[in-house]
Amino acid sequence: MKYISTRGQAGPVDFTGACLAGLAPDGGLYVPESFPQIAPAKTDEPYAHVAARILSAFAGDAIPEADMLAMCERAYASFAHHSVAPLTQAGPGLWLMELHHGPTLAFKDVAMQIIAQLYDYMLAKSGKRLSIVCATSGDTGGAAAAAFAGSKHADLFILHPHERISPVQRLFMTTTGASNVTNLALDGDFDDCQAIVKSLFADKMFAEDVGLSGVNSINWARIAAQAVYYATAQAALGGRIRFVVPSGNMGDALAGYVAARCGLLTGGFEIACAVNENDALARLFNDGVMSRAPAVATPSPAMDISVPSNFERLLYEATGRDADAVRQVYDAYKQSGEATLPDSARTRLGCVGITASAVSNVDTMAEMKRFESETGWLICPHTAVGTYQARQTPRSDVSTVVLATAAAAKFPETVLEATGLEAQLPHKCGPLLTRGEVFDRLPADVTAVRKAIEAKARASV
Ligand SMILES: *Cc1c(COP(=O)(O)O)cnc(C)c1O
């Protein structure tokens, strides 16, 4: 199985190469040369088995299936619910798919737990040690810290905007006690953190010296790992499903599309992306325009994204896999801050089965309250964006599955404001509050960050 870049100017790599690189050297995103056809999940098939089959189809010869199964079993043993992504019925024809039973209570754990296993496996084979750098607006950093703490072959550096993420989110990153996890709290915002990570990767000498690698949502292994719960939902519910996906960088929604392309959604599917007031994705789908708009603060910070990175993979498909057309769109966007999608791509985008719409801050807060009074359950603000969207467009001809992307307890301040209720952290998270936090505060400056990484990286490449 080979992976090629959406911008067409980087050579093909295998699964290991695509995972360890993250971004392709031409600035594009890796996609499989063709979509493997995978047998649908069976009703009684354990989650780790479905995951191993799907990931093996994407890994090809790079990893024997028995090894993949062992890794999936280890990864998903860390989940508090034995079915990993359970469905709970919230109304007639309406289900929540709970993706927050992992160690840091957000769906990022589903991919990150297996990615850490894959990294250790691949690096043990090659004898390399890498430095993984990740910018986070909250959930990715925690999931990466929980997954890579104690990794034998990787050092993890997490950049977060100082005092701009929720205290609970920060605790998940800063209390691992692991010597291979370094937290850098930058005096800036999330966009500054992301820009610094980009500059680090662009500094080829530095990147080579410290063996730089990335696990942000552009990493193909994350997409592949997230396709799994779409397949298990199809097995559980049968028939046609409408998935409502609270979206930011669109990795989660894209994974649904990939599941469909691989033959895993046998009943037919629709994917409705629900975004917050940062509506770049909705503008792309509805107006065919990619334009720069500063991110605004919302109750759902993990979705405060001004450029949804995984849209590039969908655009690649919508242009009929025309890398030149994709490159032209992103070059134009880079130069002028705005690009119009080619007409043919817009037309195809309209019939791939994916739509997007935006939900306001006010409606999100009201939805958390309404959902609690109707069901007695507290939902996180990101999930509320999805349930609101689903309720605005009721359907009796399909099953609707809203992806519950985080636990309410991860955002207690917002839950309290919306509902007047305290969201309790599960018992297993108790130690977070007593362990003591470790992080270094730095200016939002690439030189300072580079020095901090050089001081701790133990790369051998
Ligand atoms: C990351 C995240 C999202 C958005 O997922 P994407 O794959 O970036 O679209 C939604 N909700 C929560 C809680 C998240 O952490």
Side-chain angles (χ1 to χ4, degrees):
M1 174 66 69
K2 290 283 180 221
Y3 288 80
I4 53 178
S5 165
T6 48
R7 304 223 184 147
Q9 296 187 322
V13 294
D14 69 359
F15 183 70
T16 306
C19 285
L20 296 182
L23 201 66
D26 61 358
L29 272 55
Y30 283 117
V31 290
E33 213 164 35
S34 63
F35 289 104
Q37 292 308 296
I38 308 171
K42 296 192 202 72
T43 335
D44 56 354
E45 195 176 359
Y47 190 93
H49 287 232
V50 183
R53 286 201 296 108
I54 292 176
L55 286 162
S56 290
F58 285 110
D61 298 335
I63 300 172
E65 199 162 336
D67 291 353
M68 190 67 92
L69 180 58
M71 284 190 269
C72 288
E73 283 179 336
R74 276 198 298 277
Y76 296 115
S78 67
F79 278 62
H81 197 291
H82 65 91
S83 39
V84 181
L87 290 161
T88 50
Q89 189 153 13
L94 176 67
W95 281 264
L96 289 188
M97 180 152 60
E98 297 177 3
L99 300 176
H100 49 69
H101 293 287
T104 71
L105 314 182
F107 90 97
K108 304 287 195 298
D109 287 322
V110 179
M112 213 60 90
Q113 285 290 319
I114 183 66
I115 284 203
Q117 299 280 337
L118 290 168
Y119 264 62
D120 260 1
Y121 180 90
M122 293 166 177
L123 295 173
K125 253 187 169 173
S126 64
K128 281 189 196 167
R129 185 179 183 94
L130 293 182
S131 303
I132 298 170
V133 179
C134 119
T136 186
S137 59
D139 289 334
T140 302
F148 281 94
S151 160
K152 291 194 211 64
H153 304 280
D155 295 306
L156 176 66
F157 298 89
I158 306 169
L159 280 54
H160 74 264
H162 185 56
E163 289 184 342
R164 295 198 192 200
I165 64 175
S166 89
V168 177
Q169 285 183 313
R170 198 183 64 231
L171 286 171
F172 278 113
M173 313 194 296
T174 56
T175 61
T176 64
S179 63
N180 70 323
V181 176
T182 302
N183 283 283
L184 303 174
L186 303 191
D187 288 317
D189 61 17
F190 174 61
D191 284 334
D192 295 327
C193 297
Q194 247 183 337
I196 288 174
V197 170
K198 272 209 176 137
S199 324
L200 294 174
F201 275 95
D203 182 344
K204 294 278 187 265
M205 278 249 283
F206 169 77
E208 185 101 344
D209 282 350
V210 302
L212 209 58
S213 180
V215 290
N216 278 347
S217 70
I218 48 171
N219 194 304
W220 180 263
R222 278 180 68 173
I223 306 291
Q226 290 167 188
V228 177
Y229 44 74
Y230 286 90
T232 57
Q234 174 73 81
L237 296 178
R240 188 176 176 87
I241 302 178
R242 169 175 64 149
F243 292 97
V244 180
V245 189
S247 295
N249 269 324
M250 210 200 157
D252 212 359
L254 188 88
Y257 171 79
V258 169
R261 290 293 302 265
C262 294
L264 293 162
L265 302 184
T266 48
F269 76 100
E270 293 162 43
I271 293 169
C273 300
V275 298
N276 62 26
E277 289 188 4
N278 296 290
D279 63 348
L281 196 60
R283 281 183 282 124
L284 275 162
F285 274 94
N286 303 328
D287 310 334
V289 175
M290 184 181 297
S291 58
R292 195 164 288 154
V296 298
T298 70
S300 48
M303 292 158 42
D304 291 350
I305 302 288
S306 48
V307 189
S309 52
N310 275 290
F311 181 78
E312 180 163 350
R313 288 185 164 119
L314 193 63
L315 182 61
Y316 185 63
E317 301 304 327
T319 57
R321 298 203 141 202
D322 182 346
D324 293 334
V326 172
R327 207 168 55 243
Q328 273 161 24
V329 168
Y330 283 89
D331 282 350
Y333 173 73
K334 194 172 175 189
Q335 272 164 21
S336 67
E338 182 160 320
T340 306
L341 306 183
D343 280 343
S344 58
R346 276 198 73 181
T347 309
R348 275 195 224 177
L349 210 51
C351 44
V352 290
I354 311 179
T355 55
S357 58
V359 177
S360 73
N361 291 356
V362 169
D363 288 337
T364 304
M365 297 298 277
E367 174 67 11
M368 292 170 74
K369 171 91 185 139
R370 188 203 64 88
F371 200 89
E372 192 281 326
S373 43
E374 280 185 9
T375 64
W377 304 339
L378 293 176
I379 51 175
C380 94
H382 308 78
T383 306
V385 170
T387 57
Y388 179 84
Q389 209 275 4
R391 202 159 50 84
Q392 288 309 103
T393 49
R395 292 271 297 275
S396 55
D397 57 325
V398 293
S399 305
T400 295
V401 173
V402 178
L403 276 57
T405 51
K410 215 163 171 188
F411 303 91
E413 301 83 1
T414 312
V415 170
L416 183 65
E417 190 187 331
T419 66
L421 298 169
E422 308 263 353
Q424 300 295 334
L425 275 175
H427 205 61
K428 66 172 179 176
C429 299
L432 282 183
L433 305 169
T434 54
R435 261 191 224 136
E437 294 188 69
V438 183
F439 62 88
D440 300 320
R441 189 165 161 198
L442 291 180
D445 167 58
V446 68
T447 311
V449 173
R450 198 188 294 128
K451 276 196 189 135
I453 294 175
E454 275 165 350
K456 291 243 178 89
R458 290 169 286 175
S460 58
V461 286

